Amino acid sequence: MDSAAAAGVSLLTIDLGAVARNWQQLRDHATPAACGAAVKADAYGTGADRVVPALAAAGCRAFFVATLAEGIAVSETLGARWPEADVFVLNGPPSARLDLLISARLIPVLNSLGDIDLWAAAARRRAVALPAVLHVDTGMSRLGLPPAEVECLAAEPARLHGLDLRFIMTHLACADTPDHPLNDRQRQRFADALSRLPHVPTSFANSAGVFLGPAFHGDLVRPGAALYGVNPTPKKPNPMSQVVRLQGRILQVREIDRNESVGYGASHSAVRRTTIATVAAGYADGFLRSLSNRGRGLIGGVSVPLIGRVSMDLVTFDVTEAPADLVHPGELIELIGPDNPVDAVAAAAGTIGYEILTSLGHRYARTYVGGSEE
Ligand SMILES: *Cc1c(COP(=O)(O)O)cnc(C)c1O
């Protein structure tokens, strides 16, 4: 028995080769636009310290994170090996930490006139041109310059003095719904804003936006979820490779009689004599409680229903129909994998693949395969 089996631990396997192939596929799809990568939230839960080098080795030179701390970590990972790679901080420059942004050579996304004034003043104080990205809001109403601020900036372009403006970006709200009218409205609003602002490259599409066509690409696309296997074309077959495989370790197997209940709240009662496998994964591992009585697993290619509530550390499956030789403590049930992809798990949980990935816990034995270092 290997050590993870001996320890009764479930297995999380992350395929870095699949991440690199997904990035290359998105790059080819977006060309002539350049292709970056969103690696915020620890590369969507898959581990930025391993994913970032795999992407850089594949040719990626633009990395998007949410926070300063994520930016510092990614920039350290890129280190001396990829000094030409840029790391962009989407949440903007934190006013009390500008020196850290500068020393880590991070590039903030400026989301308001306030951000612009702050970063431009820092540049003038230091008498250096500081790199920056300008974000205009075209329909998210979240971050980015609202139309009135774009107007102000167009009237007072000197506010940008001291800045090395790398590109102007906006973010799509409905890219996963290709015929949503907001897509075209955002495209028009972006074009309007660009016509009033300095002529620099542009960045538009997220994962799903890449598949909306060249009008939505700009000069640099910023896919995240698709890199990690989430379907960027939700109503069509998934063009991406699966990255994450989660195999739950069976801790115990038992038979229960008809009418016996399973788990907290007795939310499932056996309708016949039933074989139950109890597996080492629970909501504390990001195996969402909303999968209670709704999820499924696979054992020896046979689909087995998740029954009862997902608890903190454990989940139970009805394995009555599974091959008996595989139903033993120490064996594995596939919880996420090629035949139960992240989007299917998300649908069963009533959420999106993004949340399944970013919730992946830290009690699994993590293995990385397919990396260029292997
Ligand atoms: C997260 C994010 C992305 C990546 O989006 P996906 O849908 O995961 O491809 C791109 N741009 C911005 C501004 C983001 O916040």
Side-chain angles (χ1 to χ4, degrees):
M1 229 187 232
D2 62 71
S3 64
V9 172
S10 297
L11 305 182
L12 177 62
T13 308
I14 290 156
D15 186 344
L16 297 173
V19 175
R21 284 197 303 283
N22 286 339
W23 183 81
Q24 283 155 347
Q25 192 184 334
L26 291 158
R27 175 200 61 192
D28 292 348
H29 202 90
T31 191
C35 188
V39 295
K40 57 197 184 187
D42 201 24
Y44 290 48
T46 64
D49 57 335
R50 301 300 302 267
V51 164
V52 164
L55 288 167
C60 183
R61 293 293 178 269
F63 295 89
F64 291 84
V65 296
T67 67
L68 170 66
E70 290 177 352
I72 291 171
V74 167
S75 142
E76 278 170 5
T77 298
L78 289 163
R81 214 164 143 207
W82 293 286
E84 73 281 26
D86 289 323
V87 181
F88 302 99
V89 179
L90 290 164
N91 285 5
S95 57
R97 291 281 178 275
L98 299 186
D99 46 335
L100 284 179
L101 271 178
I102 294 167
S103 58
R105 297 158 167 269
L106 302 174
I107 304 180
V109 172
L110 307 179
N111 289 308
S112 65
L113 284 178
D115 281 356
I116 292 172
D117 293 345
L118 183 75
W119 195 233
R124 291 194 286 259
R125 266 198 312 277
R126 289 167 175 82
V128 290
L130 289 177
V133 171
L134 192 61
H135 181 188
V136 302
D137 177 25
T138 57
M140 277 294 274
S141 309
R142 193 177 68 165
L143 290 178
L145 276 71
E149 292 202 353
V150 172
E151 209 68 56
C152 277
L153 185 59
E156 298 176 72
R159 290 174 95 137
L160 293 168
H161 279 175
L163 299 183
D164 165 19
L165 197 56
R166 295 294 185 81
F167 54 86
I168 301 176
M169 63 172 269
T170 194
H171 191 48
L172 288 159
C174 303
D176 56 357
T177 311
D179 46 12
H180 198 292
L182 186 53
N183 292 326
D184 262 319
R185 211 176 316 143
Q186 286 195 266
R187 191 178 52 72
Q188 281 159 21
R189 287 178 180 165
F190 194 32
D192 275 355
L194 292 172
S195 71
R196 292 149 192 253
L197 295 171
H199 288 257
V200 297
T202 61
S203 176
F204 200 175
N206 63 342
S207 296
V210 171
F211 294 87
L212 290 179
F216 291 88
H217 291 170
D219 299 300
L220 171 67
V221 297
R222 312 183 301 274
L227 296 171
Y228 314 106
V230 171
N231 187 356
T233 60
K235 295 242 159 69
K236 299 191 191 148
N238 191 350
M240 314 317 298
S241 302
Q242 286 301 298
V243 167
V244 167
R245 185 166 193 213
L246 178 61
Q247 296 164 287
R249 183 79 59 187
I250 298 178
L251 297 177
Q252 254 192 18
V253 177
R254 72 187 57 219
E255 301 234 330
I256 60 169
D257 287 328
R258 183 166 178 269
N259 292 334
E260 283 298 317
S261 69
V262 181
Y264 286 119
S267 65
H268 176 90
S269 289
V271 296
R272 54 169 182 193
R273 195 163 165 80
T274 301
T275 311
I276 308 284
T278 301
V279 166
Y283 58 77
D285 303 295
F287 198 75
L288 303 186
R289 189 169 176 275
S290 52
L291 289 165
S292 297
N293 290 306
R294 301 189 55 182
R296 68 185 192 107
L298 280 133
I299 180 160
V302 174
S303 181
V304 291
L306 189 164
I307 56 168
R309 290 213 183 127
V310 176
S311 49
M312 187 183 293
D313 319 301
L314 300 169
V315 59
T316 38
F317 290 88
D318 175 349
V319 294
T320 314
E321 307 292 335
D325 58 317
L326 294 177
V327 177
H328 290 294
E331 296 286 349
L332 296 166
I333 296 187
E334 186 149 291
L335 306 180
I336 303 175
D339 297 314
N340 196 17
V342 62
D343 292 309
V345 175
T351 183
I352 53 175
Y354 297 66
E355 191 178 23
I356 299 295
L357 292 177
T358 56
S359 300
L360 287 170
H362 293 275
R363 298 194 295 186
Y364 304 127
R366 274 192 186 219
T367 310
Y368 289 88
V369 298
S372 50
E373 296 105 304
E374 260 95 3

